[in-house]
Amino acid sequence: MTFRPDTARLAETAQQLMEKYHLPGLALGAVIAGEPAWQEAWGWADIAAKVPLTPGHRQRIASISKTTLGLNIMALADEGHLSLDSRIGDLLPDITFHGPADDLALRHLLTHTGGIGEAPNAGDLGKVFDKLFGESDPDTPLAELYADGITIEVEPGTKWAYANHGYLLLGEIISRLEGVPLPESLQRRVFEPLGMRDTDLNDVPHPDLSRGYSQADTPADRRLLDLLGIQLESDEPEDEHNLPGKYVRTWGNGGAGGVQSTVPDMLTYASALLHGAGGIVRPETFAAMTSPHWQPDQRLNGWGLSFAVARPYGHRRFGHGGAAFGGWNSTLAVFPDLDAALVIHVNLWRNDYDSAIVPPLTQAFLGERDPEPPDVPIDQRIIDTAPGVYELASNTPLTDFRTRFTPGRVLVSAANGGLMIRGQRGPWSEGAPLTAADPAQPDLLLVKNGAATERVVVLFDGAEVSGLRFQALFDLHRNPAAQPWP
């Protein structure tokens, strides 16, 4: 039986989100039965100029770009130019690596397990995002941009940490093997064969690009924009909420997130992915790309070769999200078992986009509701031994940057016969209840994160709780000596 989403419910949910979060514009698209089938848009592409947003407006899809690099480099692997085990030091001999880099291989960059962190080196931590969205000449050799080298903070293959700089290295490898700039290779290998006529990696303002926005409705919002260094065209909102963002190109070769596209082109892309990537790579290669290569617990999310993998509401999903400073958030969610896909474009950067905007639209697309937790108690061993402060176990600031940023440490405390979790920052900073997920799996708990319900796996040392493993692929460990923060 063909899966057919309720597009009326999807449109209704979109309009509710537009009003609730004061979104400047929102565009959606759906692939049904393997083919592009529906698209619609609401709001403005440019608030001040009163230009209505359409599905055909360009969007900075940011990190979704990484999936196109993954296809390009795996096509090169299919042709025998390299393999998943190819050493990065051999492919990029003029890049200096510090730390245990001898075994750093292509598979580690594709799966974010190379030991590379949010910044190239510890000295860059004070200006992390200058080397993601920062002015740099795209013609500058990568070895010059990384003149101080790149730190491999942990042994490759032992830890997952999202690494934009790993994809800049992948882009450089592609360019060197192809003998052309990365944008030209992606155009020839991916965009042109799939018929994506309004997609490129030129990473420059375009007449059809929607205007990007940020919001600072509260002092906390403003502090976050300042902390992240998000640049604005004006401190005055163009309506009562949305501040116009400044276009700042992605650093280096754009491999970490420089692609612009449209909803129609992304539906074409999603349809091709549902058909084995349209012949760009071998069928068995694409199957490997969309299968988990890093997934410490099958009940949590995982990572393939450039694709994130998960099973929301029991449906297999692969895809990626994208957040571009200056004002764009995007989602590509492909559901192969349903022969369907959902594309979301919002011309607004929100830190809580993945927990506030994506879950209601995904539920509407799949015809699901956020599940009520089962009315069962948490295992008594957990209630007795879980309370305490949980923190990162090692001093690895580069690969732990995102976790240190949010949630930081968490505090688990007993409350009303159950447990509460409170984070230093982020969605649990005001506290949230932990609930049992399944009486048959006592080590699996649930916690709300905005509109999403996330899974948390309890880790044990003998009979006592020793740590928590979160859906976002990080672990925090209980420190009996640590004191709660104010």
Side-chain angles (χ1 to χ4, degrees):
M1 183 176 178
T2 301
F3 166 77
R4 297 199 176 277
D6 184 348
T7 53
R9 178 184 166 189
L10 197 53
E12 180 183 1
T13 302
Q15 291 167 329
Q16 293 169 350
L17 293 170
M18 287 286 298
E19 182 176 350
K20 180 176 181 179
Y21 294 108
H22 311 291
L23 305 181
L26 167 61
L28 300 177
V31 173
I32 304 171
E35 300 299 329
W38 176 83
Q39 53 189 299
E40 196 166 338
W42 301 263
W44 303 106
D46 188 315
I47 296 171
K50 300 298 182 187
V51 178
L53 184 69
T54 70
H57 272 98
R58 283 187 169 223
Q59 170 97 348
R60 299 184 79 183
I61 64 170
S63 287
I64 299 174
S65 309
K66 293 180 172 71
T67 67
T68 67
L69 268 73
L71 288 171
N72 193 331
I73 205 154
M74 292 309 294
L76 289 166
D78 280 350
E79 294 170 1
H81 298 286
L82 75 176
S83 75
L84 289 176
D85 296 320
S86 293
R87 294 178 64 256
I88 303 305
D90 294 336
L91 295 168
L92 300 174
D94 53 337
I95 304 290
T96 300
F97 293 100
H98 311 293
D102 288 349
D103 294 327
L104 178 64
L106 187 71
R107 70 172 68 250
H108 299 131
L109 299 188
L110 286 164
T111 56
H112 299 282
T113 59
I116 298 172
E118 196 72 31
N121 298 294
D124 300 310
L125 283 172
K127 50 183 179 179
V128 166
F129 299 105
D130 288 350
K131 293 199 172 181
L132 179 53
F133 291 102
E135 297 294 347
S136 66
D137 185 342
D139 295 326
T140 301
L142 202 67
E144 289 185 24
L145 292 178
Y146 289 124
D148 295 329
I150 299 175
T151 295
I152 306 303
E153 192 172 52
V154 299
E155 193 71 36
T158 63
K159 178 180 181 179
W160 187 90
Y162 195 83
N164 284 296
H165 294 281
Y167 274 78
L168 289 170
L169 297 177
L170 287 171
E172 181 71 6
I173 292 167
I174 291 170
S175 181
R176 293 187 186 189
L177 290 177
E178 298 274 45
V180 297
L182 179 60
E184 186 176 331
S185 180
L186 287 178
Q187 203 71 28
R188 181 175 67 85
R189 288 275 189 177
V190 181
F191 305 145
E192 287 182 2
L194 298 184
M196 299 170 69
R197 297 179 180 86
D198 293 313
T199 303
D200 60 51
L201 183 58
N202 295 332
D203 199 9
V204 294
H206 189 279
D208 295 332
L209 178 67
S210 63
R211 182 146 202 187
Y213 295 90
S214 297
Q215 293 178 344
D217 290 343
T218 68
D221 291 337
R222 171 60 68 178
R223 287 195 297 272
L224 182 62
L225 295 182
D226 293 341
L227 176 65
L228 297 178
I230 293 177
Q231 300 183 44
L232 302 172
E233 289 285 0
S234 171
D235 285 329
E236 294 296 324
E238 293 189 351
D239 53 10
E240 295 180 0
H241 303 280
N242 293 292
L243 303 163
K246 182 179 180 181
Y247 191 107
V248 181
R249 72 178 306 277
T250 51
W251 198 69
N253 57 33
V259 171
Q260 292 179 19
S261 191
T262 65
V263 168
D265 269 14
M266 291 306 294
L267 293 178
T268 296
Y269 184 52
S271 177
L273 297 179
L274 285 166
H275 294 89
I280 294 172
V281 295
R282 295 172 182 167
E284 60 271 25
T285 299
F286 188 66
M289 292 182 70
T290 56
S291 299
H293 288 247
W294 179 267
Q295 192 175 32
D297 192 302
Q298 292 185 356
R299 297 168 294 181
L300 304 181
N301 295 345
W303 213 268
L305 302 175
S306 79
F307 289 94
V309 297
R311 295 192 69 89
Y313 308 101
H315 301 293
R316 181 174 168 240
R317 182 189 72 197
F318 64 83
H320 215 295
F325 285 7
W328 297 266
N329 272 118
S330 310
T331 298
L332 169 67
V334 181
F335 299 90
D337 298 343
L338 300 176
D339 204 18
L342 174 65
V343 171
I344 307 170
H345 285 180
V346 180
N347 59 330
L348 171 72
W349 180 87
R350 280 186 69 98
N351 192 46
D352 64 351
Y353 166 82
D354 286 324
S355 60
I357 307 298
V358 177
L361 291 170
T362 302
Q363 291 163 16
F365 179 74
L366 296 175
E368 300 283 355
R369 304 285 178 183
D370 197 33
E372 290 293 328
D375 187 19
V376 295
I378 296 175
D379 185 277
Q380 192 61 45
R381 287 185 307 159
I382 297 175
I383 291 178
D384 291 342
T385 66
V389 174
Y390 292 73
E391 57 190 17
L392 291 160
S394 58
N395 183 25
T396 46
L398 295 172
T399 51
D400 288 336
F401 180 87
R402 293 193 177 206
T403 305
R404 289 178 185 273
F405 181 70
T406 180
R409 298 189 296 165
V410 302
L411 172 68
V412 175
S413 56
N416 302 318
L419 296 173
M420 293 285 293
I421 186 171
R422 180 164 67 93
Q424 282 182 299
R425 292 171 291 278
W428 308 314
S429 59
E430 300 299 320
L434 288 164
T435 58
D438 181 351
Q441 303 178 74
D443 64 331
L444 185 63
L445 303 180
L446 301 175
V447 63
K448 289 287 287 185
N449 179 356
T453 297
E454 296 189 357
R455 294 180 168 191
V456 180
V457 173
V458 179
L459 306 176
F460 287 92
D461 182 3
E464 294 192 350
V465 174
S466 61
L468 300 173
R469 176 164 291 159
F470 291 84
Q471 192 162 300
L473 298 180
F474 64 88
D475 294 355
L476 296 178
H477 298 269
R478 190 165 66 89
N479 181 356
Q483 296 298 311
W485 55 97

